[in-house]
Amino acid sequence: MDIGAAMLILLVTCVSCLLLFLNGKDQKNKGRLPPGPRPLPILGNLLQLDTKDIVQSLHTLSERYGPVFTIHLGLRPCVVLCGYQAVKEALVDQVEEFSARGDVPMIFRFTQGNGISLTNGEKWTVLRRFAVQTLRKFGMGKRSLEERIQEEARCLVQELAQTQAAPFDPTFLISRATSNVICSIIFGNRFDYEDRNFLTFVGLINQIFHLLSSPWGQMYNLFPGPMSYLPGPHNRILETFEQLGLFVSEKVKMHQESFDPNCPRDFIDCFLLRMEQENQDPLSYFHMETLVMTTHNLLLGGTETVSTTLRSGFLILMKYPEIQAKVQAEIDRVIGRHRSPSVEDRAHMPYTDAVIHEVQRFSDVLPAALPHAVTRDTQFRGFLLPEGTNVIPLLFSVHKDPTQFKDPATFDPAHFLDERGGFRKNDAFMPFSAGKRVCLGKGLARMELFLFFTTILQRFTLTPLTRPEEIDISPLMSGLVTVPRPYEFHAVPR
Ligand code: HEM
């Protein structure tokens, strides 16, 4: 054996011993985590996970390890919660303990713990409260949120009418419409659908969601250290985040130039006002960087989630034209063809309401929420989760829970209807998650979904380019976000 080979063997042996030692030490610090598949050093449970469909892999593992188990994402142990009961016991019954945010290395690389979505502690509480109050303020202001969405839905309808029922891929148009709603709250204005800057901006958000859900994105989340040195598409995530950040910074600068503290026009102005009020307070959380990150969070959270739900919904309604026809019949009966749908109508439209709920259940836009963490050492189902342990509430598994939904694999609005055709609530409906981290834009998203769905179906029948039976409603990919398959439709005027 030459000296080089001997050195190599020695090195490998030393590294292995070190890893075993660290792994053993790690085990001691683990409290008493639920059992799960045995992890390999460094790789964790990578071999048990399909990076193209991590959510399904976790669901499958729960069949073997039960509703609460531990999975190692690289070196990081995470407790996975499967099914309604386990998720509810954690996020709702032990609301305080499970309210911290866990690690999303891919997003953290950009936010560095700033903003709302990946922040913890007092900073999170203060910024979240400010965002919720400001969103409410603009929802209840002179031009109410409902009016803004109605106006945007009318613009969307006009664009669809221009297609003259020719085959059309609605992806980008719908994203621009939903983005305009949140933009009008944050920036104080909507954009023309052909505005160049706006097109770039919506394109960036679209790319981010694709990259976050791609296998490369998943690999980055599992192994952030080594992956940040390796070339590959995952590095575009940071670039894309930064480009979006520059767009926001530019907008903030423009706001500063015309800022009037006596008359805040939108979210950015309200934030600037608060910065001004607290500029002598060294402990204030209201700074320029935080403004950019918070705005970034709201734009990201508010654009693709709603548009993806609408896109999935339209595809599903083309597969089931009889369901689309029933929704249209209800629209005709309650709203008619001549006035814009309003949020008040929802209470009189149980079938449409059930269809929208079922679309959200079935399409699972954020199938595993965002990772949570425990705020302190936490007893849960006889286990002990040390403070900071990451927790994955698998919302997908709640929506597929056979104890809560009669036929969870099937799209069926009856999951939300009682025997007399009235709307029936179901506590296992959790697309916005639950507990303290519940989606901050839930109210806005619900309004948008109802108004966009009804306004479009009031004016058009959506027909596919293939036979309905051939439509594949399974997702294109499912990672952090579930991305539906691309498609074209004919928007046929009614
Ligand atoms: C159909 C549309 C939407 C869905 C399905 C959705 C779903 C979710 C989910 C599952 C979470 C993670 C909750 C958790 O960690 O347990 C979340 C968080 C969040 N969402 Fe949404 N969301 C939607 C629309 C929106 C809109 C319109 C906005 C913007 C106003 C928004 C802003 C946020 C923010 C800022 C967070 C982070 C909250 C925090 O960490 O405290 N979302 N959303």
Side-chain angles (χ1 to χ4, degrees), residues 369-381:
L370 292 173
H372 283 229
V374 284
T375 51
R376 51 177 171 254
D377 290 356
T378 299
Q379 294 283 351
F380 185 69
R381 290 199 171 190

Side-chain angles (χ1 to χ4, degrees), residues 91 99-101 116-119 124 128 131 135 182 185-186 294 297-307 309 360 364-372 393 395 430-442 444-446 448-449:
L91 301 196
S99 67
R101 177 63 74 220
I116 301 171
S117 310
L118 296 196
T119 313
W124 167 72
R128 182 174 165 119
L135 289 184
I182 188 76
I185 300 172
I186 288 176
T294 306
N297 286 172
L298 294 174
L299 289 170
L300 264 191
T303 297
E304 273 307 291
T305 46
V306 182
S307 69
T309 311
Q360 286 204 270
D364 265 315
V365 172
L366 262 86
L370 292 173
H372 283 229
L395 302 181
M430 287 191 189
F432 300 103
S433 190
K436 285 199 153 187
R437 285 276 176 176
V438 66
C439 172
L440 176 160
K442 178 177 169 180
L444 170 61
R446 276 177 43 73
E448 284 191 66
L449 290 178

Side-chain angles (χ1 to χ4, degrees), residues 254-327:
M254 286 159 70
H255 273 66
Q256 281 176 307
E257 284 160 13
S258 55
F259 176 59
D260 173 1
N262 298 313
C263 182
R265 299 158 291 189
D266 48 39
F267 183 85
I268 292 184
D269 272 0
C270 290
F271 205 103
L272 288 171
L273 181 62
R274 189 76 177 258
M275 276 168 62
E276 204 171 273
Q277 288 163 347
E278 297 192 7
N279 68 1
Q280 299 302 322
D281 178 358
L283 299 178
S284 170
Y285 294 114
F286 292 83
H287 306 290
M288 188 50 75
E289 272 166 40
T290 316
L291 165 55
V292 173
M293 276 318 166
T294 306
T295 307
H296 203 281
N297 286 172
L298 294 174
L299 289 170
L300 264 191
T303 297
E304 273 307 291
T305 46
V306 182
S307 69
T308 303
T309 311
L310 288 168
R311 243 160 64 221
S312 302
F314 294 141
L315 185 63
I316 292 169
L317 291 187
M318 288 195 290
K319 185 164 182 72
Y320 301 109
E322 66 289 356
I323 297 180
Q324 184 175 173
K326 273 180 91 169
V327 172

Side-chain angles (χ1 to χ4, degrees), residues 45-118:
N45 292 116
L46 177 67
L47 303 183
Q48 282 99 347
L49 296 172
D50 173 3
T51 50
K52 284 199 222 85
D53 197 346
I54 283 211
V55 170
Q56 188 56 55
S57 312
L58 293 177
H59 199 215
T60 308
L61 283 172
S62 79
E63 284 162 17
R64 170 140 185 228
Y65 294 98
V68 180
F69 63 94
T70 304
I71 188 93
H72 285 73
L73 301 181
L75 292 175
R76 189 163 27 105
C78 293
V79 173
V80 182
L81 306 175
C82 271
Y84 171 67
Q85 203 52 42
V87 171
K88 179 204 158 260
E89 276 172 35
L91 301 196
V92 181
D93 299 346
Q94 286 185 250
V95 65
E96 199 57 54
E97 288 92 330
F98 284 87
S99 67
R101 177 63 74 220
D103 304 317
V104 193
M106 220 168 12
I107 305 181
F108 191 86
R109 198 177 174 188
F110 172 67
T111 66
Q112 297 295 319
N114 209 343
I116 301 171
S117 310
L118 296 196

Side-chain angles (χ1 to χ4, degrees), residues 366-439:
L366 262 86
L370 292 173
H372 283 229
V374 284
T375 51
R376 51 177 171 254
D377 290 356
T378 299
Q379 294 283 351
F380 185 69
R381 290 199 171 190
F383 303 109
L384 175 64
L385 281 50
E387 178 182 342
T389 304
N390 274 221
V391 176
I392 302 178
L394 209 58
L395 302 181
F396 166 88
S397 68
V398 178
H399 290 152
K400 300 290 175 289
D401 188 332
T403 66
Q404 304 299 315
F405 298 100
K406 209 170 101 215
D407 189 4
T410 305
F411 181 86
D412 184 0
H415 286 133
F416 295 96
L417 291 168
D418 62 25
E419 310 71 46
R420 292 192 298 176
F423 179 76
R424 183 177 54 187
K425 258 181 73 181
N426 186 324
D427 288 341
F429 173 74
M430 287 191 189
F432 300 103
S433 190
K436 285 199 153 187
R437 285 276 176 176
V438 66
C439 172

